[in-house]
Amino acid sequence: MKKKIDVIASVDSFHNLSTFDDIEDMNKTIRAYRDVVKTTVARSDVQARLIALLEVLKRHSCKQIGVSYMSKNTIADKLELSYKTVQRLMKKLEDLGMIRQIAMKRKKDMLQTANAVQIIPVKNDVSDKTPSKKSEKCPTNKTTSSSLKQKIINNTRKVVSFSQANFVASWVPDQFAKLTSYFYQESKTINELWKVVRQNNRIINHVEGKRAFTEQQELHIGVKAFKELVMKIKAGKSVKNIFGYFNGIVNKIMDKLYFDDEFMSN
């Protein structure tokens, strides 16, 4: 007998299902789960597939942090696996306590649609989590698109001073930090923007940890994506979630350049 589906697929529902305060917390959890998979799953091919699935879920869980709502068919296409295989991999991640699948229904006809997938935090059981408004927990609200646009219009660009630059994480490339500092003064914002670039540079060899793009290619893409973000905002684009919107730009550029032979050979 099928269970009754109570959750309607909507922006509010996905916000309420969010399981993390920021992207870095989610990334830490995924890194921890990768280690768990490597130590608990015997077959190397299953290990690789489970880790690849975790990466896909993470990449598509930035808008509502920790929650994705892609269909299994879409995931199967991205991983180049069968629908049944993705089903089994999802079930395995559920059994390991890493994700939770939540049945959803469409508002227009109340019929079942793609499940929402929650990434469960390592130390917290989200079953008793009290939903909070995204404005209270999401780091994106600390810098709004309107404030960035006003800075550009007024030409009040300022380079981060030497003392401020010390607070930018050492793993953020200098070129990217310098560019973004013209528009954002908070080092946390700069760090988060680079994390978006880094996490989209997916791992294609999970045994060696090899990513799709080299560090130089990754930097080129990050700079290109940020310039596009600024251009969109200057043109009047209303952006409520800077990190989510930037994630979409980076993802689109990477998907395009990955199949550009000339770019990939350089």
Side-chain angles (χ1 to χ4, degrees):
M1 183 177 178
K2 289 186 177 181
K3 293 182 179 179
K4 180 182 178 182
I5 302 175
D6 296 318
V7 185
I8 297 174
S10 67
V11 174
D12 288 340
S13 295
F14 296 132
H15 279 178
N16 289 335
L17 291 172
S18 178
T19 51
F20 295 92
D21 290 330
D22 56 48
I23 291 175
E24 179 56 21
D25 287 341
M26 179 176 66
N27 290 343
K28 288 179 180 178
T29 292
I30 294 298
R31 288 194 289 270
Y33 285 162
R34 286 177 57 187
D35 292 338
V36 171
V37 168
K38 290 177 181 178
T39 56
T40 59
V41 178
R43 287 177 50 180
S44 59
D45 60 330
V46 177
Q47 281 185 23
R49 289 176 175 179
L50 287 172
I51 291 173
L53 176 55
L54 284 170
E55 290 294 325
V56 167
L57 293 175
K58 179 189 75 173
R59 286 182 61 200
H60 293 271
S61 298
C62 293
K63 193 169 184 179
Q64 287 83 31
I65 306 175
V67 181
S68 61
Y69 36 89
M70 285 188 299
S71 69
K72 289 186 178 65
N73 282 323
T74 301
I75 295 173
D77 289 341
K78 288 182 176 294
L79 295 177
E80 297 182 350
L81 298 172
S82 70
Y83 177 88
K84 288 292 185 182
T85 299
V86 171
Q87 261 191 329
R88 289 194 291 270
L89 293 174
M90 284 283 200
K91 180 64 167 59
K92 181 63 176 177
L93 291 181
E94 275 194 309
D95 292 343
L96 290 171
M98 298 177 181
I99 67 169
R100 178 181 292 114
Q101 297 188 76
I102 301 168
M104 310 289 286
K105 60 184 176 182
R106 293 187 293 265
K107 184 177 182 179
K108 62 180 180 180
D109 55 16
M110 293 300 171
L111 295 178
Q112 186 170 4
T113 186
N115 291 342
V117 179
Q118 283 182 321
I119 299 173
I120 301 175
V122 174
K123 296 181 180 180
N124 299 326
D125 182 0
V126 300
S127 60
D128 295 324
K129 181 177 181 291
T130 302
S132 58
K133 295 182 180 179
K134 183 62 69 174
S135 60
E136 296 175 353
K137 59 184 285 190
C138 181
T140 61
N141 291 295
K142 295 195 174 181
T143 306
T144 64
S145 60
S146 59
S147 63
L148 172 59
K149 184 178 179 182
Q150 190 62 43
K151 287 182 181 180
I152 297 172
I153 293 174
N154 294 336
N155 198 27
T156 57
R157 302 175 180 179
K158 296 181 181 179
V159 182
V160 173
S161 67
F162 183 77
S163 61
Q164 288 173 315
N166 287 333
F167 292 97
V168 176
S170 60
W171 37 261
V172 178
D174 292 339
Q175 183 180 346
F176 185 83
K178 184 176 181 180
L179 172 64
T180 51
S181 69
Y182 277 90
F183 307 100
Y184 292 102
Q185 300 305 304
E186 292 188 12
S187 58
K188 181 178 180 180
T189 302
I190 297 173
N191 294 342
E192 288 294 329
L193 286 167
W194 181 251
K195 286 175 189 175
V196 171
V197 178
R198 187 63 176 164
Q199 72 178 6
N200 272 283
N201 188 6
R202 58 189 179 277
I203 296 177
I204 56 177
N205 185 326
H206 296 283
V207 176
E208 299 178 1
K210 183 179 178 182
R211 295 180 180 271
F213 300 95
T214 66
E215 290 183 359
Q216 286 300 318
Q217 291 170 336
E218 183 180 74
L219 174 58
H220 173 84
I221 291 169
V223 169
K224 181 180 177 69
F226 185 76
K227 288 180 178 179
E228 184 173 332
L229 171 67
V230 172
M231 289 172 61
K232 293 286 188 182
I233 294 175
K234 287 180 66 176
K237 177 69 177 179
S238 177
V239 180
K240 295 181 179 179
N241 185 329
I242 290 291
F243 300 117
Y245 189 75
F246 185 60
N247 178 76
I249 295 175
V250 173
N251 197 1
K252 184 178 179 180
I253 292 175
M254 285 189 173
D255 284 347
K256 180 180 179 180
L257 291 180
Y258 187 72
F259 297 101
D260 186 327
D261 293 338
E262 182 178 354
F263 177 79
M264 295 302 291
S265 64
N266 292 329

